[in-house]
Amino acid sequence: MLASATRKLGEGAVFWKAMGLTCAESSSVPAWQRDQAEHLWMPYTQMRNAPLPLPVVATEDVYLVLADGRRLIDGLASWWTACHGYNHPQIARRVRQQLEVMPHVMLGGIHHEGAVTLAARLASLLPGDLSQVFFSDSGSVAIEVAMKMAAQMWRNRGQAERNRFVTFRHAYHGDTTGAMSLCDPERSMHAHFKGFLLEQFSQPIPETESEQAAFTEFLATRRNELAAVVIEPLVQGAGGMRFHSPQALAAVARMTRQAGLLLIADEIATGFGRTGSMFACEQADIVPDILCLGKALTGGTLGMAATVATGEVFEAFCGEDDALALMHGPTYMANPLACAAAHGSLDLFAEQPRLDQVAAIESSLAEQLESCRNLSGVVDVRTLGAIGVVQVERLHSREKLTELFVEAGIWLRPFHDMFYLTPPLSITPVQLRRLTAATVDSIAQWSRWS
Ligand SMILES: Cc1ncc(COP(=O)(O)O)c(C=O)c1O
């Protein structure tokens, strides 16, 4: 059976399978991985020559547990999701209780308590009049919904030609086609889809006075075809972990407002404390018209996202004509288990000093990563909230690095031109020191390989 499966899947799988079989002598490759891994198509992976992924069999606190029992401190919190660490008992209890009562129910024509109370709870936490919550199942879909909301708002107001978006260099907003169109068209991983995607306008983030004047002029000239400006507030994540100042963010918000456009804040990565405040927009004292949430919304438990609009945006969808309504409805939207997990996570934000912990993580990361600055090949070290970045001239030897990290008891996944850390916000000072010491040590060894 295996031989035919391998043939069916082609050359790419052969390499992987060969790797698996070679490793099979070692006890670290479990049978399920050794015998069946070639069927699983991995994300962002060249399947032809990718090394066998790490077999993770359990999670606990800030640890990933490997099949052979080794425990790695997760320096990424599973792509920024596990903000309270893994398997938090309060979240697990909520989800277990919900599982007994009602794992899922469609939202069309039906209300359930978890969805109604979660929407109200998010509205009360978010700044300003961000009060109308539309749930979906992933960040990319939340972005699609935000784009549709913005375009339809103008349509409903009789301005159907206003349907293009202004985004920023190095932006990343997800992997579905609408979201891909908002990513940097030249530098992002989606750049080779040029011609397939909707064409938007990509601008530099205007930091200086002259850049702001140019941005204002750009908005004025294109105003009549534009629906909204879309920004990842304070941190551009997958586009390179680039930070901008609250002042620049506030200026973008001001210029967008002056041009009469909507502002969409993509807080899918930054929301829920990551940058030091519950939402990054708070640091610039701005209220966008539409705000997207995801990732840490359920504390890393289940896929869930939300697109939240102000009352003013929502108003454009209300009226006598049914065609004014938002025609969108993911099958699993507001899944009751995900709502329960999100409530559990928000309970923890209310009860635990998470934002104080983020402040402490920020200063520890800044202090403990500083020594990387002097290493050969390192061009920058920067931190913001619970995000630490060591940027290098050129990332190389990624496979060897993974081995090094695992030996050192940590899990990191450097990409682009950088090493980055986004640990659970609940990580203890001792665990954080172990993570940063192993990171610095590994980067020092890596820098000697160049
Ligand atoms: C800023 C931002 N927006 C959108 C997304 C897409 O979210 P998802 O992967 O849940 O579709 C991501 C994912 O990394 C992100 O960082």
Side-chain angles (χ1 to χ4, degrees), residues 303-353:
M304 181 180 223
T307 307
V308 189
T310 60
E312 197 180 334
V313 171
F314 181 71
E315 197 52 41
F317 292 79
C318 303
E320 296 302 316
D321 185 355
D322 283 354
L324 293 175
L326 181 63
M327 298 306 283
H328 208 95
T331 303
Y332 276 93
M333 75 182 289
N335 168 254
L337 295 174
C339 290
H343 274 298
S345 177
L346 293 178
D347 289 346
L348 289 168
F349 275 108
E351 292 160 18
Q352 302 291 326

Side-chain angles (χ1 to χ4, degrees), residues 44 79-80 137-141 143 172-175 179 232 235 237-238 266-270 294-295 305:
Y44 310 119
W79 279 333
W80 315 46
D137 34 25
S138 79
S140 299
V141 175
I143 292 289
Y172 173 79
H173 295 284
D175 295 347
E232 292 156 89
V235 184
D266 177 353
E267 293 240 24
I268 288 161
T270 54
K295 289 192 183 285

Side-chain angles (χ1 to χ4, degrees), residues 9-243:
L9 289 165
E11 285 295 307
V14 174
F15 177 84
W16 207 354
K17 188 163 161 47
M19 280 280 302
L21 289 174
T22 313
C23 299
E25 268 91 63
S26 117
S27 59
S28 62
V29 180
W32 52 261
Q33 189 182 33
R34 185 191 60 219
D35 297 342
Q36 296 172 79
E38 71 264 33
H39 293 280
L40 183 59
W41 197 333
M42 296 294 282
Y44 310 119
T45 299
Q46 175 43 261
M47 296 293 289
R48 170 62 63 94
N49 54 16
L52 202 63
L54 293 180
V56 173
V57 295
T59 51
E60 185 197 325
D61 186 22
V62 297
Y63 298 97
L64 304 178
V65 183
L66 301 186
D68 62 6
R70 282 179 294 175
R71 290 151 61 85
L72 311 182
I73 297 181
D74 183 355
L76 307 178
S78 276
W79 279 333
W80 315 46
T81 61
C83 50
H84 311 290
Y86 292 103
N87 314 16
H88 198 288
Q90 273 176 249
I91 300 180
R93 196 176 320 118
R94 284 249 196 189
V95 174
R96 229 178 282 120
Q97 282 166 357
Q98 186 61 48
L99 187 62
E100 294 297 320
V101 180
M102 183 173 67
H104 183 63
V105 66
M106 64 191 274
L107 202 68
I110 289 174
H111 266 171
H112 63 86
E113 184 177 353
V116 170
T117 53
L118 182 60
R121 199 167 179 185
L122 290 172
S124 73
L125 283 173
L126 285 164
D129 179 26
L130 284 162
S131 54
Q132 308 304 130
V133 182
F134 190 95
F135 288 113
S136 54
D137 34 25
S138 79
S140 299
V141 175
I143 292 289
E144 299 287 338
V145 173
M147 294 173 78
K148 197 163 165 181
M149 261 181 200
Q152 192 179 341
M153 187 205 79
W154 293 115
R155 231 157 245 264
N156 287 358
R157 288 185 181 177
Q159 293 178 268
E161 65 290 351
R162 300 187 67 165
N163 55 21
R164 297 180 73 187
F165 294 82
V166 179
T167 68
F168 294 99
R169 302 269 150 83
H170 306 285
Y172 173 79
H173 295 284
D175 295 347
T176 52
T177 49
M180 283 162 76
S181 79
L182 301 179
C183 299
D184 187 315
E186 306 294 335
R187 299 160 192 84
S188 79
M189 63 177 111
H190 303 314
H192 62 278
F193 283 91
K194 225 183 187 138
F196 169 65
L197 300 174
L198 296 167
E199 281 192 24
Q200 317 292 6
F201 297 101
S202 175
Q203 293 284 304
I205 291 194
E207 299 259 8
T208 64
E209 260 181 47
S210 65
E211 286 167 348
Q212 290 176 8
F215 188 69
T216 298
E217 197 178 318
F218 171 80
L219 294 185
T221 25
R222 294 289 186 169
R223 186 177 180 276
N224 292 337
E225 56 187 304
L226 295 177
V229 173
V230 190
I231 191 163
E232 292 156 89
L234 300 187
V235 184
Q236 293 180 301
M241 299 292 165
R242 302 165 76 93
F243 306 156

